[in-house]
């Protein structure tokens, strides 16, 4: 899904004309850049097979983005040739696919490649070849510090802190419990939760880990109920959230519920039904139902090109990560500099407070690739999702905390 960029293999026409005159056809061009046809080739690895084939929805949405872009005139007249290959969600295959994209297909960049472990595995190769990785879809602290990697997805600890911030400062709640998936997803959320609660001078009402495969949350909810919590923040899957809501309903636990962006999705409504009503979600993405042009274009384009795929936050995620490449390439064209990987990286580092797909306030700086810097709060209402608090910067105490 994500485009991969190849290294400069010859002189650009602009550079050549300053020293000698040669025919355009004799010039060795940057891989993936066809100046005559105005086509840029990018690519990505994606799990069509393996343990998480449903992640291909992310790639479909990214592909729909590029199709929509090309149908709308491209990037200042440039069309995008998007190539993807199945990696089976196997990190070793992800590296092999990256190599194929760059060395055989001549990809200019990787765009919206899928998976945390798979993207982490591909970083050394991309670093060696100086290939830009634009919008890797996953969550790893390594993404924020690599000079050629530009992520949109935030650290889950920042999102957890945003939930706490809304609960305390907007709803006036003090007793907050955390239910967290006992893996890197949940541990990251817990780090941000604990740090920001301490910053606010509050102690967690309760902190309860759970396994990703947990289906019965009765004992977890019992602990939360005994703590006197006024709010519960859950960081886990949509199935975990639905199961916890059902357990809370059975025990008549009346609290405010909070969850991460990826659970603000129609698939969660199917699992939880009316129990999801009122749940809040910290989200770096606008609601899928938003009337913003980019989000509306996502809904229409996926319905056109992948009609069997669900319209939800999962797809909007893929769409937005693909849109990041277009933003960067547009900035490169505007710079007037040669179309090279180095210059694409430099152009992306000029993005400031940009709207990218469904994301808001995206900025990159030299040495600081934390692209998403703010989140809104979404609430579930009768099967739909509405933005109830505009986007705000992440709490500084967590956003600027040293990486762990």
């Amino acid at each position: 899904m994500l485009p991969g960029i190849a290294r400069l293999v010859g002189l650009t026409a602009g550079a050549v004309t300053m020293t000698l005159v040669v025919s355009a056809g004799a010039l060795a061009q940057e891989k993936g850049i066809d100046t005559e046809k105005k086509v840029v080739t990018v690519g990505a690895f994606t799990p069509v097979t393996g343990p998480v084939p449903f992640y291909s929805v992310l790639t479909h949405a990214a592909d729909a983005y590029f199709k929509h872009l090309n149908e709308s005139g491209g990037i200042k007249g440039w069309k995008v040739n998007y190539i993807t290959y199945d990696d089976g969600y196997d990190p070793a295959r992800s590296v092999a696919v990256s190599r194929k994209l760059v060395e055989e297909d001549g990809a200019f960049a990787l765009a919206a490649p899928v998976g945390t472990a798979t993207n982490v595995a591909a970083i050394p190769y991309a670093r060696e070849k100086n290939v830009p990785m634009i919008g890797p879809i996953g969550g790893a602290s390594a993404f924020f510090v690599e000079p050629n990697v530009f992520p949109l997805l935030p650290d889950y600890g920042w999102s957890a802190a945003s939930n706490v911030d809304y609960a305390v400062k907007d709803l006036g709640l003090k007793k907050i419990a955390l239910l967290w998936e006992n893996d890197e997803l949940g541990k990251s959320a817990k780090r941000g939760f604990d740090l920001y609660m301490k910053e606010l001078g509050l102690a967690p009402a309760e902190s309860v880990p759970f396994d990703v495969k947990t289906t019965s949350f009765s004992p977890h909810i019992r602990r939360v109920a005994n703590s006197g919590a006024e709010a519960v923040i859950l960081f886990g899957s949509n199935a975990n959230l639905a199961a916890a809501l059902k357990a809370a309903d059975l025990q008549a636990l009346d609290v405010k519920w909070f969850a991460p962006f990826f659970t603000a999705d129609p698939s969660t409504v199917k699992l939880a039904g009316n129990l999801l009503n009122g749940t809040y979600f910290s989200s770096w993405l606008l609601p899928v139902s938003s009337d913003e042009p980019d989000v509306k274009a996502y809904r229409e384009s996926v319905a056109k090109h992948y009609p069997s795929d669900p319209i939800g936050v999962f797809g909007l995620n893929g769409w937005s990560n693909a849109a990041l490449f277009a933003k960067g390439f547009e900035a490169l064209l505007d710079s007037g500099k040669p179309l090279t990987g180095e210059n694409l990286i430099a152009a992306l580092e000029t993005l400031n407070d940009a709207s990218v797909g469904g994301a808001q306030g995206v900025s990159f700086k030299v040495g600081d690739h934390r692209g998403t810097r703010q989140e809104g709060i979404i609430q579930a209402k009768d099967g739909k999702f509405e933005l109830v608090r505009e986007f705000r910067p992440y709490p500084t105490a967590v956003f600027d905390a040293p990486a762990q």
Side-chain angles (χ1 to χ4, degrees):
M1 259 168 51
L2 233 113
I5 189 168
R7 296 284 300 145
L8 180 65
V9 295
L11 298 174
T12 66
V16 171
T17 56
M18 297 179 66
T19 56
L20 72 164
V21 178
V22 295
S23 68
L27 293 175
Q29 293 183 332
E30 175 83 348
K31 283 186 178 180
I33 297 292
D34 186 332
T35 54
E36 183 177 347
K37 296 181 179 178
K38 299 187 76 172
V39 173
V40 54
T41 295
V42 297
F45 44 81
T46 181
V48 177
T49 60
V52 286
F54 56 90
Y55 280 8
S56 61
V57 168
L58 293 159
T59 306
H60 292 168
D63 183 58
Y65 174 82
F66 289 123
K67 283 183 167 63
H68 167 76
L69 186 70
N70 290 340
E71 291 164 357
S72 303
I75 309 167
K76 293 184 177 293
W78 280 76
K79 301 296 179 67
V80 178
N81 175 32
Y82 191 48
I83 303 173
T84 65
Y85 294 109
D86 177 30
D87 67 353
Y89 209 69
D90 177 345
R93 288 177 63 186
S94 308
V95 177
V97 166
S98 299
R99 184 176 292 109
K100 177 178 174 60
L101 285 165
V102 173
E103 299 176 18
E104 296 182 25
D105 297 313
F108 183 62
L110 296 175
V114 177
T116 298
T118 49
N119 273 294
V120 169
I123 284 177
Y125 172 77
R127 184 194 304 124
E128 175 191 349
K129 299 296 183 180
N130 201 24
V131 174
M133 297 179 68
I134 316 301
I137 303 178
S141 58
F143 298 163
F144 304 124
V145 296
E146 289 289 335
N148 63 317
V149 181
F150 293 83
L152 274 187
L153 271 72
D155 184 283
Y156 291 124
W158 308 343
S159 294
S162 286
N163 275 327
V164 172
D165 192 65
Y166 186 74
V168 173
K169 295 184 178 180
D170 291 74
L171 301 183
L173 307 177
K174 302 294 184 184
K175 298 180 180 180
I176 306 171
L178 179 70
L179 295 177
W180 51 280
E181 189 175 295
N182 194 14
D183 58 15
E184 186 50 39
L185 183 157
K187 290 176 182 178
S188 176
K190 184 177 184 298
R191 286 193 293 269
F193 174 86
D194 289 344
L195 181 58
Y196 194 51
M197 289 288 284
K198 183 178 180 180
E199 173 75 10
L200 295 174
L202 299 173
E206 184 60 274
S207 182
V208 189
F210 60 85
D211 186 84
V212 66
K213 297 179 181 179
T214 299
T215 56
S216 174
F217 277 80
S218 294
H220 309 76
I221 295 301
R222 193 172 301 114
R223 286 179 59 177
V224 169
N226 290 338
S227 74
E230 302 167 301
V232 179
I233 298 174
L234 182 144
F235 262 76
S237 72
N238 57 354
N240 296 146
L241 176 59
L245 289 171
K246 290 174 183 177
D249 183 56
L250 288 173
Q251 296 185 34
L253 177 64
D254 184 17
V255 295
K256 301 293 185 183
W257 282 89
F258 295 80
F261 81 95
F262 52 83
T263 58
D265 189 80
S267 61
T268 315
V269 178
K270 291 181 180 179
L271 292 170
N274 291 334
L275 295 177
L276 194 64
N277 280 342
T279 300
Y280 296 100
F281 309 85
S282 58
S283 180
W284 62 278
L285 288 168
L286 290 164
V288 175
S289 58
S290 171
D291 289 329
E292 286 294 317
D294 279 347
V295 181
K296 183 179 179 181
Y298 154 70
R299 295 194 302 268
E300 293 175 349
S301 187
V302 168
K304 174 181 178 181
H305 295 292
Y306 293 95
S308 63
D309 279 6
I311 301 297
V313 71
F314 221 56
L316 184 57
N317 186 351
W319 172 278
S320 300
N321 279 280
L324 182 58
F325 172 77
K327 280 285 184 182
F329 195 73
E330 181 179 20
L332 173 56
L333 292 172
D334 287 342
S335 74
K337 295 179 180 178
L339 304 181
T340 68
E342 292 92 338
N343 287 337
L344 174 61
I345 289 170
L348 279 159
E349 289 176 336
T350 68
L351 291 189
N352 183 47
D353 198 28
S355 294
V356 180
Q360 304 287 297
V362 175
S363 302
F364 294 104
K365 305 174 185 177
V366 176
D368 180 2
H369 285 189
R370 298 172 297 174
T372 300
R373 297 167 184 267
Q374 52 184 298
E375 288 192 343
I377 298 294
I378 292 172
Q379 188 176 30
K381 297 181 179 180
D382 298 323
K384 297 182 179 180
F385 300 93
E386 298 180 10
L387 190 68
V388 294
R389 193 208 70 187
E390 293 299 324
F391 282 64
R392 293 180 190 168
Y394 292 111
T396 302
V398 177
F399 189 66
D400 290 339
Q404 297 187 30

